Structures are given as C-alpha cells and as structure tokens.
Amino acid sequence: MLDERDRRILTLLQEDASLAVSTLAERVHLSVSACSRRIQRLEETGYIARRIVVLDRERMGVPTTVFALVKTTHHADDWIDIFRKVIGEIPEIVEAHRLTGNYDYILKVVLPRVEHYDVIYKQIVRKVELFDVSASISMEVLKSGTGVPVEYAR
C-alpha cells in the first residue's frame, strides 16, 4: 500500500531519476535512511520498473517522428511472435501498440529525416506479411513524456 510520501517520491523520481537520496529525503520530509528504504521497497515491489536517461532526439540525430498504422489479416500467435521479433530488432521503432478499431497496430518510429521511413518500412515488409500500412508524420509535439499519474497506484 502506497502512502502520500511514496507517491511524492515516485513523482520526483519520474521528473529526475538522478536526484540524490538526500535531496529526495528533504523534499518528502524523511531521513535519508528512511527515504532510501522506501525507494528500495518501491523497486522491489515493482512500482519502479527501471531508471532511464531520456536523450535529446535532435542531438541524437533522430528529430522526425512517423506513426505507422498497420493492418494485417494474420492474428495467429506465430505471426504475432514474428512481427514482435521483427519490430524489436529495429531501433528506430521506439513504441508499438496493438489496437482496437480499424488498425491492428501503431508503431512510433523516430528517424533522422522522413525519407528514412522507407528503409524501415522495407525492413518490416521483407520479413513479415502485412495487409496495409499507413504512415503519418508528426508535425509538432504538443505533449511528450515518460511519466505516469501516481494517484491511482495502490
């Protein structure tokens, strides 16, 4: 069961995972050792899945985002396993979701420039059969982040 201090620790770590335990402890009004124990418990119980560094995409040379909407006529487990393996091997595909509605999957692809999308598209269709792929280019990021709301956690 999480309390308000746990939620505050999670919120602060989502904003900056490099915060020193002493800084976190001060901000949540705990001793350093008590704060450290809470962080360890949050990691052990799976509330903190991992700690990551978010890279600047411009500096990394991949400022372009393309969303590829995929339709397939295949829904068997073996096809899904192959599709999952194929997209997992392509580092430019940074997210993939199975959907309800008119499309089966959406892929978030980060690229150096929009023309590079064709390279990624060919890597996929050479290895797995698709019915239809429709791509949309992101013109502007209105909201982006890795944080999730903490108030729903139990």
Side-chain angles (χ1 to χ4, degrees):
M1 183 70 97
L2 297 181
D3 63 18
E4 285 309 308
R5 283 190 172 136
D6 291 330
R7 287 182 175 82
R8 181 74 177 131
I9 289 169
L10 292 170
T11 297
L12 291 167
L13 286 173
Q14 283 190 109
E15 292 169 2
D16 184 358
S18 70
L19 284 174
V21 176
S22 59
T23 304
L24 282 168
E26 182 180 315
R27 291 187 185 174
V28 297
H29 309 291
L30 287 171
S31 69
V32 172
S33 59
C35 186
S36 180
R37 284 192 302 272
R38 281 180 182 249
I39 293 168
Q40 184 176 3
R41 179 178 48 81
L42 290 167
E43 289 174 332
E44 289 170 355
T45 56
Y47 288 99
I48 298 173
R50 62 191 170 140
R51 297 186 196 197
I52 62 168
V53 172
V54 177
L55 303 178
D56 182 288
R57 289 190 29 209
E58 286 282 338
R59 288 183 176 252
M60 298 309 298
V62 287
T64 304
T65 303
V66 172
F67 292 96
L69 291 159
V70 176
K71 284 185 185 180
T72 182
T73 57
H74 304 281
H75 299 282
D77 289 343
D78 59 336
W79 183 92
I80 294 169
D81 290 342
I82 293 167
F83 183 65
R84 185 184 314 263
K85 181 180 183 301
V86 167
I87 64 174
E89 293 172 348
I90 302 172
E92 291 88 348
I93 300 174
V94 295
E95 285 188 44
H97 300 266
R98 191 165 58 89
L99 305 174
T100 62
N102 294 330
Y103 288 91
D104 297 305
Y105 300 92
I106 187 170
L107 310 177
K108 180 179 179 182
V109 188
V110 297
L111 303 165
R113 59 190 188 290
V114 77
E115 293 82 6
H116 190 74
Y117 172 71
D118 192 48
V119 173
I120 304 306
Y121 171 81
K122 287 176 181 175
Q123 284 180 327
I124 297 169
V125 298
R126 282 185 189 124
K127 297 178 181 177
V128 64
E129 183 182 345
L130 303 176
F131 177 73
D132 183 44
V133 180
S134 176
S136 295
I137 301 163
S138 172
M139 299 298 290
E140 178 184 9
V141 177
L142 301 176
K143 182 178 180 181
S144 178
T146 58
V148 298
V150 298
E151 57 268 9
Y152 301 103
R154 295 182 234 147

